[in-house]
Amino acid sequence: MSPSPSKPRLIHESLNDVSQSIRFLAVGMLSQIIFMTVYNFLLLTFEPRGYPASTIYALFYTSYIPVGHALMSLFVFGWPVDYLPSLMSNAPIGLTAMAIGTALTGFLSKIEFDALVEDWVSSTFGTAPHDHSEDEGEFYASLVVMAVTGVWSYVMSLYVNAAKPAEKGKGDKDPAKEL
């Protein structure tokens, strides 16, 4: 049984009973958890070898665009009839989010944002000052980048993937009236 024309082709038809905004939020959170976990692993692996955080972010984000698009297609917007054109129309969202995230990651890394947050937390809550002698990744910077790029991607995805309204006067023509 195929879904009705008005319902998107999701991985399971019961997902159509859940609000698209809720599905977007849930899949976005899952996608970000996967992204942040792998990104922080890559930071811990490659940053000590001399690769800048912004380069690691850019390369990983670029490779993650098809994964994120597939998740959104399966769970939120519906699987497109033509996948590749859909991926290509959504790729600029990922690429602009990557550019924003890369610049923001580089900036937050340069100002040592995680150390600033850890110092603020220890002074605000009276905990022992954090030892900054070891490089421990960029968890707080990742959260900021995730929030900024998440909002950007949400707004742009709604715009790009919104159902196109039927144009007035350009509906299906009745072949009998053409004669």
Side-chain angles (χ1 to χ4, degrees):
M1 179 176 187
S2 67
S4 71
S6 64
K7 291 188 177 185
R9 298 180 327 163
L10 301 175
I11 194 165
H12 193 275
E13 64 184 40
S14 66
L15 288 171
N16 283 308
D17 297 334
V18 179
S19 163
Q20 187 181 47
S21 297
I22 299 297
R23 292 191 318 257
F24 191 96
L25 181 64
V27 172
M29 287 173 56
L30 171 66
S31 185
Q32 287 296 340
I33 289 168
I34 293 168
F35 181 87
M36 283 182 49
T37 302
V38 175
Y39 171 64
N40 278 297
F41 170 77
L42 292 173
L43 271 179
L44 292 172
T45 303
F46 292 107
E47 203 171 30
R49 296 179 184 175
Y51 294 98
S54 57
T55 301
I56 296 166
Y57 177 86
L59 291 173
F60 179 57
Y61 200 107
T62 301
S63 65
Y64 194 76
I65 288 172
V67 175
H69 178 258
L71 287 171
M72 286 296 170
S73 294
L74 288 169
F75 293 97
V76 181
F77 297 108
W79 196 259
V81 174
D82 296 319
Y83 181 76
L84 196 54
S86 175
L87 175 61
M88 292 296 106
S89 68
N90 279 273
I93 297 168
L95 294 172
T96 54
M98 179 195 63
I100 292 166
T102 300
L104 190 55
T105 299
F107 173 73
L108 294 174
S109 182
K110 183 174 238 165
I111 66 167
E112 298 180 357
F113 182 75
D114 276 41
L116 293 171
V117 170
E118 289 165 353
D119 290 345
W120 178 81
V121 167
S122 66
S123 68
T124 302
F125 298 106
T127 59
H130 189 75
D131 178 20
H132 300 295
S133 62
E134 282 187 32
D135 194 14
E136 299 178 1
E138 300 191 7
F139 179 74
Y140 298 110
S142 296
L143 290 177
V144 171
V145 171
M146 176 189 71
V148 170
T149 59
V151 169
W152 171 260
S153 296
Y154 176 72
V155 170
M156 297 309 293
S157 292
L158 288 178
Y159 177 74
V160 169
N161 295 305
K164 307 291 186 255
E167 292 182 43
K168 271 191 169 176
K170 299 235 178 178
D172 293 328
K173 294 182 180 179
D174 185 357
K177 292 182 182 175
E178 295 285 319
L179 298 174

